[in-house]
Amino acid sequence: MAQAIVQTETGGPEVLTLVEAPDPVPAADEVVVRIEAAGVNPVDAKQRSGARPLPPITEPRHLGFDGAGVVTAVGSAVQGMAAGDRVAIRDTRGTYATALAVPAAHTAALPDAVSAAEGAALAIPAGTAYQCLRSLDVGEGDLLLLHAGSGAVGQAAIQFAVDRGAEVIATGSPATHDRLRALGAIPVVYGDGLQERIREAADGREITVALDAAGTDEAIAASLALVADRDRIATIVRGPDAAELGIRAFSGGSPIPLTAQEQAWRAEALPVTIALIADGRFSVEFGPELPLAEAAQAHRLIEEHAVRGKIILRP
C-alpha cells in the first residue's frame, strides 16, 4: 500500500491526515514515481485553508504539486522512459505521497548532479519566476525591481534575470541580504523610505521593469512610481485588483487565466532550471526537511513564515 496526505475539509493544518491508499497503476500516458522528496509551496497551504478557493471537497483531496523520485512503472503509450529513471514532477496533484501516477509529459529527467530535494523544489517557484520574466521580456539592459527577493519565486527570478543579462534590485529583510547579494542582486530593505532606497540603489539608472512577489501596498506603490511602462509591471500576489491598478497579474488569484504561451513557459522552466543547477548556475536555499507524516507542521511553518528556505517532505 502507498501512503498519502489528504484533507476531507478546509481548515487549519490539523485537517491534513496520513492515509493508506492503493498502489498507483499508470494509465497509458503515465508513469508511476516512487516519491523521494515533495516540495511544500505557499499555494498548498492556501488551497488547504480555503484562502485560494477550489470546488467543494467531495472525496479526500490529495496535496502537493511538486516532487521528485524514481520511476517504478511505465504506461503502455510512454516512449523513452523506463523503470529506474530519476525524474522531477510538475503540475500534478498528490506529490505528498510515497508513490504517484504522473503524466509522463509532466516529468523532467534528473541527472545525477541534481538531488531529489532540488528537483522537488523547482516546479512552482521556478516555473512562476521563469514565466514572469519571459512575459515581461526581461533581458540585457534591464534593471529589474523585484519585491520579496528572498522567497523561492524571488530567488529564482533573480537567478533567471541575471542569467539573461539583467541587473536586479531586490527587497528583503536585512537577514536575507547576504543571500540576495550572493545571487547577484542589490538588496534593499523594505519599509518606510523604500522608494528613496531603491533610487539610491539604482544610482541614476532607469528601473525598466518590476515584479511584485510581496503583494504589499508599498511594493505596488514603489513599482508604479519608479517604472514608466505599466505593461512591464506585474504581480503574482495581487491578481484580483491588478487590472484596477493598471498592471499585469500572473495568477495570484487573477481572474485572467494564463495564456497557452505562459503555461508553456512554466512547463519549460523545469528542465531549463535542472540544466542550470547541473551547470552550477542556479541554486536553491533549503529550509527544514520533515517526514511525510509531519505535513501539517510543514504548513504551520510556511504560514507563520517561521523558516527561511524551501521546506521538503520526505516519504
Side-chain angles (χ1 to χ4, degrees):
M1 295 288 284
Q3 292 184 313
I5 297 292
V6 302
Q7 65 179 119
T8 57
E9 60 182 327
T10 57
E14 68 279 358
V15 304
L16 301 182
T17 57
L18 181 67
V19 300
E20 289 194 338
D23 291 324
V25 176
D29 63 345
E30 293 180 333
V31 295
V32 172
V33 179
R34 183 181 74 246
I35 303 294
E36 294 184 336
V40 180
N41 290 293
V43 69
D44 301 344
K46 291 176 182 177
Q47 290 189 354
R48 184 218 71 233
S49 69
R52 183 70 60 85
L54 291 175
I57 298 174
T58 57
E59 59 184 14
R61 178 179 289 160
H62 292 244
L63 286 94
F65 296 92
D66 298 353
V70 177
V71 173
T72 60
V74 179
S76 60
V78 176
Q79 302 292 319
M81 298 184 72
D85 288 351
R86 299 180 66 243
V87 295
I89 300 165
R90 66 169 181 86
D91 195 24
T92 303
R93 179 178 289 279
T95 56
Y96 291 14
T98 57
L100 182 66
V102 181
H106 289 197
T107 67
L110 275 185
D112 291 342
V114 181
S115 69
E118 288 172 322
L122 300 178
I124 286 179
T128 301
Y130 183 84
Q131 172 264 307
C132 287
L133 296 196
R134 294 296 300 269
S135 294
L136 292 167
D137 196 25
V138 174
E140 189 170 351
D142 275 320
L143 178 55
L144 168 67
L145 172 59
L146 175 65
H147 299 285
S150 64
V153 174
Q155 291 194 27
I158 292 169
Q159 294 176 88
F160 289 138
V162 170
D163 195 67
R164 293 172 65 84
E167 295 181 274
V168 184
I169 296 171
T171 67
S173 68
T176 68
H177 284 193
D178 285 347
R179 173 65 177 170
L180 297 179
R181 289 190 192 95
L183 295 178
I186 303 168
V188 173
V189 68
Y190 46 72
D192 290 345
L194 175 62
Q195 292 183 32
E196 289 73 18
R197 288 189 295 276
I198 293 171
R199 288 190 177 95
E200 289 177 7
D203 194 25
R205 293 167 295 171
E206 179 187 5
I207 298 170
T208 54
V209 57
L211 176 60
D212 165 48
T216 61
D217 288 343
E218 73 166 359
I220 298 297
S223 298
L224 291 172
L226 298 171
V227 178
D229 185 353
R230 294 289 192 269
D231 198 48
R232 301 198 77 199
I233 303 173
T235 180
I236 62 169
V237 185
R238 295 281 289 271
D241 60 348
E244 181 181 346
L245 293 166
I247 63 176
R248 301 171 72 180
F250 304 120
S251 62
S254 172
I256 302 173
L258 296 177
T259 66
Q261 178 61 79
E262 288 163 351
Q263 292 172 353
W265 281 329
R266 292 203 176 193
E268 179 183 300
L270 184 55
V272 166
T273 312
I274 289 169
L276 290 173
I277 292 175
D279 198 38
R281 293 158 56 198
F282 191 102
S283 67
V284 176
E285 182 181 33
F286 285 103
E289 291 190 357
L290 299 173
L292 179 64
E294 295 183 19
Q297 175 62 8
H299 277 215
R300 291 186 188 98
L301 292 174
I302 206 166
E303 288 181 317
E304 295 169 0
H305 306 285
V307 296
R308 281 177 53 189
K310 190 70 176 182
I311 301 173
I312 296 292
L313 295 176
R314 292 282 193 176

